[in-house]
Amino acid sequence: MSKITVIGAGNVGASCAEYIAMKNFASEVVLLDIKENFAEGKALDLMQTATLNGFDTRISGSTNDYSKTANSDVVVVTSGIPRKPGMTREELIGINAGIVKGVVESCLAHSPNAIFVIVSNPMDTMTYLALKASGLPKNRIIGMGGILDSARFRHYLSQALNCPANDVDGMVIGGHGDTTMIPLTRLAGYRGVPVAQFAAADTLAKVKADTMVGGATLTGMLGTSAWYAPGASVSSLVQSIVCDQKKMFPCSVYLEGEFGESDICMGVPVILGKNGWESIVNIDLNDEEKAEFAKSAAAVRSMNSAL
């Protein structure tokens, strides 16, 4: 069984801890936050659901004491300020870059073999920063965004097709941003049948557009970033790593020529196992999708240059 640390005990971090515990694949989850007693309180509240939700995972909290995170197998970084209505992920970069860099360095001091999952926004840039600041092998730094975007894509597809979301398959690649993500509508399927057989082109165009602003839509409704779907996305990613499931998920990882891009972290399909991301899965993109990916990469690069 594994030890998982979640940095940041806010809505997203607590949701991560809850879903990881409820799936019962980790022996221990440590929540850490800078706010006095906040992580401890969230952990106590969650532990009081153990008999009701049937999990044996031990959840503990810590106020900025990184020694409590020692020997973690996976570290999930959710820390940073969340988006407010009208705020782009990009506007967060100045504040969150310093936070993420410090967190990664502090965790590495106690868990030198950990795999890092980056959730903090702007996610592709924070993933790139974590990789460069840590000096870790590229397979141990993973940005979560594509899993969340794909879950939203499948939801909107299921709404359009009036079918269960679990019967629909679809993937979002590219940057984790309102203008940079690329829902691959052409390759989406309903039980193996292309979705274009069930929905008109304008309907699928709306699905794509709704997916791209999926996060902003929720921010406008909630007044802050979403947390249930991000937490579930993280738990699925972490489970594939610690249980060596070899699942394929789109994640933000470091590219060295794949998809025509280098020295950048972007969302592409990867196989996730005990070593982190273990391989990148190539997709035969058409010319339009290739152009979208190149445009997305240019936008992510401009963000990275702000570092």
Side-chain angles (χ1 to χ4, degrees), residues 56 59 80 126 137 146 201 239 258:
D56 299 312
I59 308 171
M126 293 299 109
Q239 185 174 21
E258 299 91 350

Side-chain angles (χ1 to χ4, degrees), residues 70-297:
N71 301 312
S72 293
D73 297 285
V74 179
V75 174
V76 180
V77 182
T78 76
S79 46
I81 65 164
R83 282 207 288 177
K84 299 288 189 279
M87 178 185 275
T88 66
R89 292 181 175 95
E90 291 75 20
E91 287 171 321
L92 300 177
I93 188 168
I95 300 166
N96 286 354
I99 296 172
V100 169
K101 185 172 183 289
V103 162
V104 171
E105 290 171 349
S106 297
C107 287
L108 265 180
H110 297 279
S111 301
N113 298 314
I115 292 166
F116 285 80
V117 175
I118 308 300
V119 184
S120 309
N121 280 316
M123 193 216 63
D124 299 291
T125 297
M126 293 299 109
T127 304
Y128 182 80
L129 170 68
L131 179 70
K132 296 295 184 178
S134 67
L136 288 174
K138 62 183 180 178
N139 62 295
R140 286 170 56 191
I141 303 286
I142 305 165
M144 179 279 292
I147 302 179
L148 172 60
D149 296 332
S150 297
R152 288 171 173 162
F153 183 36
R154 292 173 68 185
H155 164 74
Y156 286 120
L157 281 170
S158 71
Q159 296 284 94
L161 273 57
N162 192 28
C163 70
N166 285 311
D167 282 3
V168 178
D169 194 31
M171 183 182 294
V172 178
I173 62 171
H176 179 58
D178 300 348
T179 60
T180 56
M181 70 178 75
I182 306 163
L184 293 173
T185 309
R186 178 180 66 89
L187 300 177
Y190 178 12
R191 286 293 187 187
V193 182
V195 294
Q197 285 191 213
F198 303 96
D202 59 340
T203 299
L204 293 178
K206 185 178 188 305
V207 166
K208 183 174 182 175
D210 288 345
T211 300
M212 293 177 73
V213 296
T217 299
L218 285 161
T219 302
M221 290 173 163
L222 299 169
T224 187
S225 297
W227 58 89
Y228 295 123
S233 298
V234 169
S235 72
S236 294
L237 191 165
V238 174
Q239 185 174 21
S240 189
I241 293 170
V242 303
C243 298
D244 198 27
Q245 291 178 328
K246 313 293 188 188
K247 286 196 172 185
M248 185 197 302
F249 284 118
C251 296
S252 186
V253 300
Y254 189 68
L255 303 181
E256 294 180 295
E258 299 91 350
F259 290 83
E261 300 296 336
S262 294
D263 193 33
I264 192 171
C265 290
M266 284 181 67
V268 295
V270 297
I271 302 301
L272 294 169
K274 63 183 179 182
N275 299 310
W277 68 267
E278 299 188 344
S279 62
I280 291 174
V281 179
N282 187 47
I283 303 174
D284 189 14
L285 301 178
N286 64 24
D287 289 343
E288 181 182 348
E289 291 155 352
K290 287 177 182 175
E292 286 183 303
F293 197 87
K295 182 181 177 184
S296 178

